[in-house]
Amino acid sequence: RKESSAASDVYKRQELYAPGADSGEPIVHAEGEECGLVTRGTVELWVDGQVSVLNSGDGYYIPTTLPHSFKNIGPDEAEIISANTPANF
């Protein structure tokens, strides 16, 4: 489930991933930046071929011009709160 809101030049969203769920094929945008915080669970973040494991309390920053995706690799639901700029996503 994804919930979002766009205000000004920033797009904010909450993403919930069931165990084993992912964001789909890697995403690439023509421009922009994204930062986020894992508030629950364990998430695998894939960015341009590099994999990082993020746990609750871990944050990330990525240029959205690089291909990226998320996957819940934990046994419980995972939640990510993120913000993107520009707000054209």
Side-chain angles (χ1 to χ4, degrees), residues 5-12 28-33 64 84-89:
S5 66
S8 181
D9 292 330
V10 177
Y11 180 78
K12 296 168 273 197
V28 179
H29 299 280
E31 63 177 335
E33 302 169 295
T64 55
N84 302 45
T85 187
N88 60 0
F89 293 19

Side-chain angles (χ1 to χ4, degrees), residues 1-4 11-24 34 37-44 56 60 70-82:
R1 181 182 81 172
K2 296 181 182 180
E3 295 181 11
S4 60
Y11 180 78
K12 296 168 273 197
R13 70 179 164 192
Q14 173 195 35
E15 297 181 66
L16 301 175
Y17 294 97
D22 62 39
S23 59
E34 177 177 333
L37 176 69
V38 177
T39 57
R40 283 189 281 143
T42 303
V43 175
E44 180 181 271
S56 182
Y60 66 90
F70 301 90
K71 181 176 183 178
N72 179 354
I73 59 171
D76 301 313
E77 183 176 67
E79 177 181 53
I80 299 172
I81 305 297
S82 65

Side-chain angles (χ1 to χ4, degrees), residues 43-54:
V43 175
E44 180 181 271
L45 170 60
W46 183 91
V47 179
D48 199 26
Q50 295 188 317
V51 176
S52 300
V53 174
L54 305 175

